[in-house]
């Protein structure tokens, strides 16, 4: 789906250290969507103990959530990621590439001591525009 969202990495600043864009420009006539953080529960409402499984489920849940509003990854403008343990970046970026291809939204990542429930290891919040 074609969007008018523009993603930029200006030459005047250092290149991103990951797969994200420094700037995401949202057209003035766009509708903004703020999504609650998504976690890695599976289709049976079970939360795996493993971070990799939680990450895979989280991306699956994000795709399903976007689809409920007629959106896809091209509409995502900002991603905030919180994790309670070190992310396996190889696995994470495999999921990221499947979702975003090479049109990366802006991103913030933080490691925190805890999330909303004790067993949650990763939570990903999205902002989207259409």
């Amino acid at each position: 789906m074609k969007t008018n969202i523009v993603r930029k990495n200006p030459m005047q600043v250092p290149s991103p250290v990951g797969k994200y864009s420094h700037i995401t420009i949202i057209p003035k006539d766009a509708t903004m969507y703020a999504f609650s953080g998504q976690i890695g529960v599976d289709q049976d409402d079970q939360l795996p103990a493993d971070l990799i499984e939680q990450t895979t489920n989280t991306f699956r849940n994000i795709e399903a959530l976007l689809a409920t509003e007629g959106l896809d990854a091209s509409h995502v403008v900002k991603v905030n990621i919180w994790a309670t343990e070190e992310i396996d970046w190889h696995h994470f970026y495999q999921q990221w590439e499947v979702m975003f291809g090479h049109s990366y939204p802006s991103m913030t990542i933080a490691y925190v001591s805890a999330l909303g429930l004790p067993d949650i290891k990763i939570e990903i919040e999205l902002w989207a525009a259409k």
Side-chain angles (χ1 to χ4, degrees):
M1 183 177 296
K2 175 79 171 112
T3 65
N4 294 324
I5 296 167
V6 176
R7 303 172 197 287
K8 296 169 57 174
N9 290 307
M11 293 177 15
Q12 298 86 340
V13 296
S15 297
V17 297
K19 296 182 179 193
Y20 60 89
S21 297
H22 280 307
I23 300 171
T24 302
I25 302 169
I26 304 157
K28 68 179 179 179
D29 59 343
T31 299
M32 291 293 300
Y33 297 79
F35 294 98
S36 295
Q38 297 301 298
I39 61 171
V41 294
D42 63 20
Q43 294 301 311
D44 297 321
D45 292 328
Q46 299 299 308
L47 184 66
D50 181 65
L51 175 61
I52 288 179
E53 287 181 70
Q54 286 192 26
T55 301
T56 300
N57 290 346
T58 300
F59 276 97
R60 187 176 305 125
N61 295 339
I62 287 168
E63 280 191 304
L65 185 65
L66 288 169
T68 67
E69 295 300 313
L71 304 172
D72 60 33
S74 71
H75 296 102
V76 176
V77 297
K78 177 72 168 126
V79 178
N80 294 315
I81 303 161
W82 296 280
T84 61
E85 59 186 59
E86 181 139 3
I87 292 171
D88 177 332
W89 287 104
H90 176 73
H91 177 74
F92 184 91
Y93 277 146
Q94 285 178 331
Q95 303 296 309
W96 188 259
E97 292 287 331
V98 168
M99 179 169 280
F100 293 109
H102 294 287
S103 181
Y104 306 128
S106 298
M107 179 210 302
T108 300
I109 173 76
Y111 289 105
V112 296
S113 61
L115 289 163
L117 296 171
D119 295 333
I120 299 172
K121 296 180 186 245
I122 190 164
E123 186 166 352
I124 301 177
E125 173 192 19
L126 303 173
W127 288 79
K130 181 176 177 183

